[in-house]
Amino acid sequence: YQEKRKPSISPFYDRETDLLFLGYKDTVTAFSNDLKLVRRISPLNGLQVGANVLAIQKDQDGFYWFAGGRGLARYDWESNKLYSYSESNGRFNGDGSWVIHNDYYKRTWFGTKQGIYWYDNNVDSVKKLAAEEISGSVNLLGSIDSTWLIVSQPHGIYLMDLQKYHKSGKVEL
């Protein structure tokens, strides 16, 4: 689907609400199942993630996450409110993100140029995973049930033991 000849870079379908989200140049649009525009989220609403919205995901609390080359935004559909995560507000010290993944334990992960970050709901900020081996560009995040977080980088693929990490906070690759 293209809107006014703007290519959609990041699609996301929410099965619970039956909405299709499309991210493109500094904007996210939400469409009903018959492709009628339901809502537009843009810099007019405060969306500031960079030139393009590169990834969209919904977390366990029902918030939508929008990632771009310069930051992250968490969006509350009900209140139509955006929460920004960037270096300038101290809630995210990364240089943007292009991958978002929710694991078995309902933690939201972000792949960035500087490694992996995760959302800490207790302090409402995005924190870096301390693992030197995966401190470079992360191109893909995924998981295998409750056991492994899959991390792809240009120089290799890693499996992180999710069970061990969630029990002890220790990273084992």
Side-chain angles (χ1 to χ4, degrees):
Y1 179 81
Q2 284 188 185
E3 183 182 345
K4 296 181 184 173
R5 298 177 209 206
K6 293 179 183 176
S8 299
I9 295 171
S10 54
F12 174 75
Y13 175 66
D14 184 350
R15 289 182 183 164
E16 290 176 40
T17 62
D18 199 22
L19 292 173
L20 173 64
F21 289 80
L22 299 175
Y24 50 92
K25 185 174 179 353
D26 72 13
T27 301
V28 174
T29 50
F31 295 90
S32 62
N33 63 3
D34 58 355
L35 294 180
K36 300 268 192 253
L37 180 65
V38 176
R39 190 171 295 174
R40 182 182 315 276
I41 306 152
S42 72
L44 296 174
N45 306 83
L47 183 62
Q48 301 290 326
V49 296
N52 291 306
V53 177
L54 302 173
I56 302 170
Q57 186 60 260
K58 187 176 182 181
D59 69 16
Q60 79 277 358
D61 296 321
F63 290 97
Y64 295 97
W65 283 92
F66 309 132
R70 294 218 171 90
L72 298 165
R74 188 170 58 109
Y75 179 68
D76 183 346
W77 181 268
E78 295 301 317
S79 69
N80 195 24
K81 186 170 181 184
L82 274 167
Y83 303 88
S84 294
Y85 298 82
S86 65
E87 220 168 350
S88 63
N89 65 21
R91 294 162 110 185
F92 173 49
N93 292 326
D95 189 23
S97 172
W98 48 74
V99 180
I100 307 171
H101 176 71
N102 296 316
D103 71 13
Y104 174 86
Y105 299 95
K106 300 183 177 160
R107 176 164 283 175
T108 303
W109 298 89
F110 305 93
T112 76
K113 289 180 192 175
Q114 300 87 17
I116 300 174
Y117 286 74
W118 58 277
Y119 177 65
D120 186 343
N121 198 27
N122 296 324
V123 293
D124 191 26
S125 68
V126 180
K127 298 184 173 185
K128 185 170 181 162
L129 180 73
E132 184 62 34
E133 299 90 343
I134 49 178
S135 61
S137 181
V138 173
N139 304 323
L140 173 94
L141 288 171
S143 53
I144 302 171
D145 55 53
S146 65
T147 310
W148 303 106
L149 182 70
I150 304 166
V151 181
S152 175
Q153 296 189 291
H155 57 276
I157 295 174
Y158 292 91
L159 295 175
M160 184 177 91
D161 187 327
L162 272 175
Q163 293 176 349
K164 184 171 192 170
Y165 181 74
H166 281 280
K167 287 178 185 170
S168 68
K170 294 184 181 181
V171 176
E172 184 175 302
L173 301 173

